[in-house]
Amino acid sequence: MNFPMLSQFNPETGEVEGTAPKIRFLDNLKGYFLDQAAYQKALQTGNPPVYSVTSVEPAQGDGQLHYGLGRLMPGKIGREYYFTAGHLHAFRPAAEFYIGLTGEGLMLLQHEITGETLVFPLRANLVVYVPGYTAHRTVNCGTTPLSYLGVYPAQAGHDYGMIAEKNFNKVVLEINGQPVVMDRQEALKLN
Amino acid sequence: MNFPMLSQFNPETGEVEGTAPKIRFLDNLKGYFLDQAAYQKALQTGNPPVYSVTSVEPAQGDGQLHYGLGRLMPGKIGREYYFTAGHLHAFRPAAEFYIGLTGEGLMLLQHEITGETLVFPLRANLVVYVPGYTAHRTVNCGTTPLSYLGVYPAQAGHDYGMIAEKNFNKVVLEINGQPVVMDRQEALKLN
């Protein structure tokens, strides 16, 4: 038992003591947002951090676990709320529990093969189960940072390729002040 | 994706919506406490619930995960703080993350083979990693319920046998108002 076994996280700042976060800025999300013109315009006024992920990986191997602390800022590009790029697990059967901590958001889940999409709320005291073979993205529909823990098998790994290429079938837009989940193709007609 | 994927828990009550908790009462902990006379005396005045565990098991199989919400009441038998029975995982390599939610406690970790023991604090914003092959017990050193989530591989299972037979090498006693971790054999001399 010679590896770090205790970690302390701060859901407000998104920091895990002694661990460097990976920060994703707006320009890291090129091609992901529905409204490309609004995206380009936003980048002209700055390149804010959109989200951070801090990973805690005590050990490797079968039966071991890792977790990440995610913190997604509030914001929109056009009508579309800020989101994380989203990913599949490299080890496809690997599931993940998302445990909401602060803020108000949604999770988009999309099965890799069938394309079936499910949407769940994410906030304090809610736990969302992401099964294997399922791409997942968090969306901040609130006005404060959305933070959460994600716990996953150590062998899960991350595969960003499919989403980077095809994106999610669904988008989450603010319409009349409320988050609305729409088919991407339908939403493109709004712009 | 045809199984329950969203769950809502209440860290104050220890309840997960729609899921029945397993409740362990004082008389379920026969033989576990250091001070057998104090234990018998306590049972004469009642048989209170000591802790509850509510398990959420969306799916089975390699790569899948389960979680439990634990809630351990404050209390003592003699000088010894209330604790959970403690267990190993039936699938020995399986790890577990404990995520503190409310209250103030400790976790006792004891390696199955070497007997090496580690003690970590457990409270809100702390995460304790329990590696494989490691018996683990939570101890409530506070005056309010200690609640936490435990996330583990679906195949982990529970094995209570070793601890039921041999108990942990260490105990946590209140001495001069403070929690003190002691060797069981040393602590027996105090009584």
Side-chain angles (χ1 to χ4, degrees):
Chain A
M1 300 197 280
N2 53 353
F3 44 81
M5 290 161 65
L6 179 67
S7 54
Q8 176 152 16
F9 67 89
N10 184 329
E12 303 299 332
T13 64
E15 291 169 329
V16 180
E17 212 174 283
T19 307
K22 276 182 286 192
I23 300 175
R24 292 289 173 261
F25 294 88
L26 189 58
D27 71 351
N28 298 129
L29 292 167
K30 184 174 158 63
Y32 282 87
F33 286 99
L34 191 72
D35 186 338
Q36 296 289 332
Y39 177 73
Q40 290 303 331
K41 196 172 165 193
L43 273 180
Q44 285 164 17
T45 65
N47 185 27
V50 177
Y51 63 96
S52 68
V53 180
T54 311
S55 301
V56 177
E57 305 179 348
Q60 305 295 333
D62 191 29
Q64 310 285 353
L65 300 169
H66 294 170
Y67 83 84
L69 172 63
R71 181 173 180 262
L72 174 58
M73 300 302 290
K76 282 181 299 172
I77 296 296
R79 307 172 192 250
E80 194 175 18
Y81 295 101
Y82 275 7
F83 51 71
T84 58
H87 64 277
L88 287 153
H89 292 145
F91 175 59
R92 289 291 195 273
E96 183 164 358
F97 273 122
Y98 274 73
I99 302 162
L101 298 171
T102 73
E104 291 280 338
L106 293 174
M107 286 199 72
L108 283 183
L109 272 56
Q110 181 175 315
H111 194 276
E112 180 184 19
I113 309 297
T114 65
E116 182 191 357
T117 303
L118 293 172
V119 182
F120 294 105
L122 186 65
R123 58 176 183 271
N125 298 353
L126 291 185
V127 180
V128 176
Y129 189 67
V130 180
Y133 303 92
T134 304
H136 43 290
R137 161 179 285 175
T138 54
V139 181
N140 188 340
C141 307
T143 56
T144 59
L146 175 72
S147 68
Y148 47 86
L149 298 178
V151 183
Y152 47 95
Q155 71 267 46
H158 293 77
D159 180 350
Y160 296 94
M162 183 191 86
I163 294 302
E165 191 184 332
K166 300 186 177 177
N167 219 330
F168 282 79
N169 297 335
K170 304 279 186 183
V171 296
V172 187
L173 306 184
E174 185 186 74
I175 295 179
N176 298 329
Q178 294 296 320
V180 175
V181 181
M182 296 184 71
D183 286 337
R184 180 174 302 279
Q185 296 309 318
E186 290 300 309
L188 279 166
K189 299 176 192 167
L190 289 183
N191 282 315
Chain B
M1 300 198 280
N2 53 353
F3 43 83
M5 291 162 65
L6 178 68
S7 53
Q8 176 151 16
F9 67 89
N10 184 329
E12 303 298 334
T13 63
E15 290 169 328
V16 180
E17 211 174 283
T19 307
K22 274 181 287 192
I23 300 175
R24 291 288 173 261
F25 293 87
L26 189 58
D27 71 353
N28 298 129
L29 291 167
K30 183 174 161 61
Y32 283 86
F33 286 98
L34 190 72
D35 187 337
Q36 297 288 333
Y39 176 74
Q40 290 303 332
K41 196 172 167 194
L43 273 181
Q44 285 165 17
T45 66
N47 185 25
V50 176
Y51 63 97
S52 67
V53 180
T54 311
S55 301
V56 177
E57 305 179 347
Q60 304 296 333
D62 192 28
Q64 311 285 353
L65 300 168
H66 294 170
Y67 83 85
L69 171 64
R71 181 172 181 263
L72 174 59
M73 299 304 289
K76 284 180 297 173
I77 296 296
R79 305 173 193 249
E80 194 175 18
Y81 296 101
Y82 274 8
F83 51 71
T84 58
H87 63 277
L88 288 152
H89 291 145
F91 175 60
R92 289 291 195 273
E96 183 162 358
F97 273 123
Y98 274 73
I99 302 162
L101 298 171
T102 73
E104 293 280 338
L106 294 173
M107 284 199 74
L108 285 182
L109 272 56
Q110 181 175 314
H111 193 277
E112 179 183 20
I113 309 296
T114 66
E116 182 190 357
T117 303
L118 293 172
V119 182
F120 294 105
L122 186 65
R123 58 176 183 270
N125 297 351
L126 291 184
V127 180
V128 175
Y129 188 66
V130 179
Y133 304 91
T134 304
H136 43 291
R137 161 180 285 176
T138 54
V139 181
N140 188 341
C141 307
T143 56
T144 58
L146 175 72
S147 68
Y148 47 86
L149 298 179
V151 183
Y152 48 94
Q155 71 267 46
H158 295 75
D159 180 349
Y160 295 94
M162 185 191 85
I163 294 303
E165 191 183 333
K166 298 185 176 178
N167 219 329
F168 282 78
N169 297 335
K170 304 280 186 183
V171 295
V172 188
L173 305 184
E174 184 185 76
I175 296 178
N176 298 327
Q178 294 295 319
V180 175
V181 180
M182 297 185 72
D183 286 337
R184 179 174 302 280
Q185 295 309 318
E186 289 301 309
L188 279 167
K189 298 175 193 165
L190 289 180
N191 283 314

